[in-house]
Amino acid sequence: MDRRYPTTTKSRSAAAPAGLLRRQQSSGSNSFFDEPNAQQQQQQPRGSPSRIYDPKKNQYTKQRAPAIKSSSPAVDRIDRIAGSLFNFLTASKFNILGLITLVMTIGNVYGRFQLGRDPEESETFVAMRRFRLGGNHAMQLPSDWDTWTLSDFKHEFLCHHHFNKETYSMYTWDQWNTLRKTFNEVVDPTFNFNTDPVPPTKGYSFQVTGNAPPFYADQTARGAPGLFASRRITKGELVFDGTHSDVTFPDAHAFRKFMFALPKKDIACDVTKFIWSQRLKEDGPMHIMAAFNIATYVNDAYEAEKEVNVLPREENSLKLYATTDIEKGDEILTHFEHYDADWDEVGLGH
């Protein structure tokens, strides 16, 4: 006989205490080990009070605590809305990023609706629909946009953060083309940039020969972009000739439209460095000028703490000549104060 298994055993029901058997019989269960019925499951929910088991999803989900029943229908309705919002935000398929996207989408649609209500503004500033933040976001013009000064643009667009970067990347062809395309769309559609075979990353057609000017763009030891001689330049030689490549803004109003139409703040900040004011005739009006090619990278000798090596022979000329021999690889420097610049006169001062 195998002593490991006794010949007499007690049944499970017999081994159970009498009190448990009575409770089992009163609950309607046939066996002590039967699964609890639906009524028992409802009385004993699985999980913590804030989490409840969902058998369909086979997972625990967050459950908002039941609210105290109110006698006011308005309070009950608000509570139901709050509960729905809570469940929406805590559902597994949604997250905070989705909520932010929803809010941005609503803001974008509303901005486009506001632009559409004013046909003149919508037509004039068609490029505004891609203004700011690097995206295609609709935006209304600031109420005082037509009074902004150059300092306002630098301040409102946080240009000091952009200019405080340790390094500066040279503009690509696409970036120069963005400036040119925006200028055609907003300021002057008749100015043809495509007639020049020299790309803006190389400068412009020099002396109507189709050749690039005698300089190239690179980063200086100071961390700023600059121009350097691509070959030896002799004293008296023509180094710059922006007669056909420099652009002119008719007034401050056109310049402000251009700035607000640019797709990114950083590009608008760069434009504050790319422009200057100058008279094209001795007794003519002061103009806002810009160069949308690497020629705009020429630096001021005073800021570089070096000697000037290029200057115009006439105050109103767009041509700069070498004032001394410039060796290959030397930085090309001028003196900005040589020009009769006046931001107040063009409407962008103070």
Side-chain angles (χ1 to χ4, degrees), residues 63-76:
Q63 181 69 24
R64 185 172 181 267
I68 299 175
K69 185 68 175 178
S70 172
S71 59
S72 173
V75 174
D76 291 340

Side-chain angles (χ1 to χ4, degrees), residues 102-139:
L102 177 63
V103 172
M104 291 180 65
T105 302
I106 295 174
N108 190 17
V109 172
Y110 177 75
R112 293 179 185 275
F113 172 74
Q114 290 294 96
L115 280 177
R117 295 180 62 183
D118 190 342
E120 182 178 354
E121 181 175 294
S122 179
E123 180 179 356
T124 304
F125 305 107
V126 60
M128 281 292 295
R129 289 196 293 272
R130 61 172 197 275
F131 171 61
R132 219 53 73 234
L133 301 179
N136 188 25
H137 300 291
M139 176 177 174

Side-chain angles (χ1 to χ4, degrees), residues 126-329:
V126 60
M128 281 292 295
R129 289 196 293 272
R130 61 172 197 275
F131 171 61
R132 219 53 73 234
L133 301 179
N136 188 25
H137 300 291
M139 176 177 174
Q140 288 182 285
L141 286 170
S143 59
D144 60 344
W145 72 272
D146 210 13
T147 63
W148 278 32
T149 66
L150 203 59
S151 298
D152 290 333
F153 281 108
K154 293 179 180 179
H155 174 73
E156 297 296 333
F157 291 174
L158 304 177
C159 293
H160 60 282
H161 291 299
H162 176 61
F163 295 141
N164 285 340
K165 295 178 181 179
E166 295 183 1
T167 59
Y168 182 95
S169 300
M170 299 295 124
Y171 262 37
T172 63
W173 189 93
D174 288 337
Q175 288 172 307
W176 289 122
N177 190 52
T178 295
L179 294 174
R180 295 178 171 192
K181 183 178 179 181
T182 305
F183 184 84
N184 284 144
E185 289 179 349
V186 179
V187 181
D188 184 2
T190 65
F191 195 99
N192 192 351
F193 293 97
N194 298 325
T195 58
D196 195 339
V198 177
T201 53
K202 300 294 184 181
Y204 48 84
S205 291
F206 193 58
Q207 293 181 304
V208 201
T209 61
N211 297 321
F215 52 76
Y216 63 92
D218 201 354
Q219 186 169 306
T220 67
R222 305 180 301 278
L227 294 180
F228 298 86
S230 56
R231 58 172 174 78
R232 188 177 188 276
I233 302 173
T234 59
K235 181 180 178 179
E237 186 177 344
L238 180 64
V239 181
F240 291 89
D241 185 2
T243 305
H244 303 288
S245 60
D246 294 345
V247 299
T248 304
F249 292 89
D251 50 37
H253 176 79
F255 175 76
R256 294 186 184 103
K257 288 198 300 181
F258 173 80
M259 291 289 280
F260 279 111
L262 292 171
K264 291 185 179 181
K265 289 182 179 180
D266 287 353
I267 296 180
C269 289
D270 289 332
V271 170
T272 65
K273 297 281 190 179
F274 294 168
I275 62 172
W276 69 92
S277 59
Q278 180 181 352
R279 301 184 194 277
L280 299 179
K281 296 180 180 180
E282 184 175 352
D283 297 325
M286 189 73 70
H287 293 283
I288 304 171
M289 309 287 299
F292 296 147
N293 56 69
I294 62 170
T296 196
Y297 289 147
V298 63
N299 288 316
D300 186 80
Y302 178 79
E303 296 179 0
E305 298 181 349
K306 295 181 179 181
E307 295 295 327
V308 173
N309 51 25
V310 293
L311 282 174
R313 291 178 178 174
E314 299 175 359
E315 185 176 357
N316 306 313
S317 174
L318 296 175
K319 298 180 180 181
L320 277 68
Y321 297 84
T323 58
T324 184
D325 291 339
I326 306 174
E327 299 299 327
K328 181 179 180 179

